[in-house]
Amino acid sequence: MANFFFYGTLCHLPLLERVVGRELTVVPARLEGHEVRWAEGESFPLILPAPGKAAEGLLAEGLTAGEVARLDFYEGGFGYLTREVIVDAGDGRQVPAQVYFPEPGHWRPGAPWRLQDWAADWGDVVTETAADFMALRGRKAPEELKARYGLMMIRAASRLRARAAGQGMLRRTSETGDVVVADWREPYAKFFSVEEYDLSFRRFDGSMSPVVNRAVFITGDAASVLPYDPVRDRVLLIEQFRPGPFARGDANPWSLEAIAGRVDASETPEEAVRREAVEEAGLRIGDLHLIGGYYPTPAGKSEYLYSYVGIAELPDGTAVSGAGVDGEDEDIRTHIVTFDALMELLGSGEVDNAPLLISALWLSAHRAELRAAAR
């Protein structure tokens, strides 16, 4: 049996229970001569020596070897190793306990840490990510998961948004037990991942289907924005090489698109398109008009897209070449075209991807009111 002192994200009890596998009894405790600070630029804290200060946290006593193994799997992937210390349990007891200390040199300390601040911004998504992380225990090394942790958080944030979606008016109402997963595998996981399910689902006659095998290409949610200048009646398009058309054998794998990108775990779709507009086109977007959210390929991809038309000023000289984020090997060229030219591109088939097609058709339906509002 072992005692542990938790000072950071594991003081968030839903996360602790997800990692350990059960609800723990904990008491407030403190470690003298230390303080807790954010890891600079990260979503987790560091504990550091600090004479005259005390790190506040929680003490859990009597953890089993199996529970310690689960903790070691979770924390070990992030370069944290245990060390025994003596903590003040607040009731006069001085208790020996294990503490996860960061390996030196991995991160720089930032501002003082407050659990409430972290929980407000990260608590739900990190707890959701922990479910995926712990599900891979025994299947993948924690170091491998650490390398993909940012992508795993994006996937978890997407799942939280999906879970908040309401039921429809026409579709059947989904209930607990309507989908039963017999087995799950992840045969590929890098920038994207592939998940394979053996599952059965409720038929429309009320019976359950036989167990079927289904593979899903996993990506996080994404968002697109078509910049529109209602005064000049023109839009901005981006052009870049795309491996999807190339792999299909397309004679021209350069694609005309709306600005788009993944929604990071720490942002909303609206924040994502504003960030992407700056990164891909050096453009500041004004009012955003939501077109809708949709699955481009629900039969085999988890990706969900939020598409917008964004009001922007697009004077002559706005177009740029060679845009993109350093380190992501992007090479983006932008085009300023009139609305009529955009419609010609749709008619010719040169616009052949869903976000731009949908955005252009929405703009066609709402163009008059956007121009009237601008006047």
Side-chain angles (χ1 to χ4, degrees), residues 73 136-145 148 186-189:
F73 175 78
L136 291 166
R137 179 171 172 255
R139 304 187 188 208
K140 298 196 176 181
E143 294 77 14
E144 183 181 352
L145 297 181
R148 296 194 66 250
E186 188 183 60
Y188 174 88

Side-chain angles (χ1 to χ4, degrees), residues 21-157:
R22 70 175 176 94
E23 183 178 346
L24 293 179
T25 299
V26 296
V27 295
R30 52 193 284 142
L31 177 58
E32 299 291 342
H34 291 78
E35 67 175 345
V36 184
R37 289 185 168 270
W38 285 92
E40 194 172 84
E42 303 289 348
S43 59
F44 52 83
L46 309 172
I47 190 166
L48 306 165
K53 296 187 178 181
E56 304 286 342
L58 298 175
L59 174 66
E61 299 179 83
L63 273 66
T64 67
E67 291 163 350
V68 172
R70 290 176 64 92
L71 285 166
D72 286 345
F73 175 78
Y74 184 74
E75 291 285 356
F78 297 96
Y80 282 68
L81 301 174
T82 55
R83 188 188 313 163
E84 187 168 276
V85 298
I86 302 297
V87 298
D88 180 358
D91 53 5
R93 292 188 302 143
Q94 299 294 303
V95 180
Q98 299 293 318
V99 176
Y100 285 102
F101 283 90
E103 292 181 358
H106 277 229
W107 301 284
R108 295 175 55 186
W113 160 270
R114 276 172 34 97
L115 178 64
Q116 303 94 308
D117 297 337
W118 173 87
D121 293 336
W122 295 100
D124 289 344
V125 70
V126 170
T127 301
E128 188 70 20
T129 306
D132 295 337
F133 198 101
M134 298 307 296
L136 291 166
R137 179 171 172 255
R139 304 187 188 208
K140 298 196 176 181
E143 294 77 14
E144 183 181 352
L145 297 181
K146 174 192 171 185
R148 296 194 66 250
Y149 188 72
L151 299 173
M152 293 175 73
M153 285 205 298
I154 289 174
R155 195 275 173 90

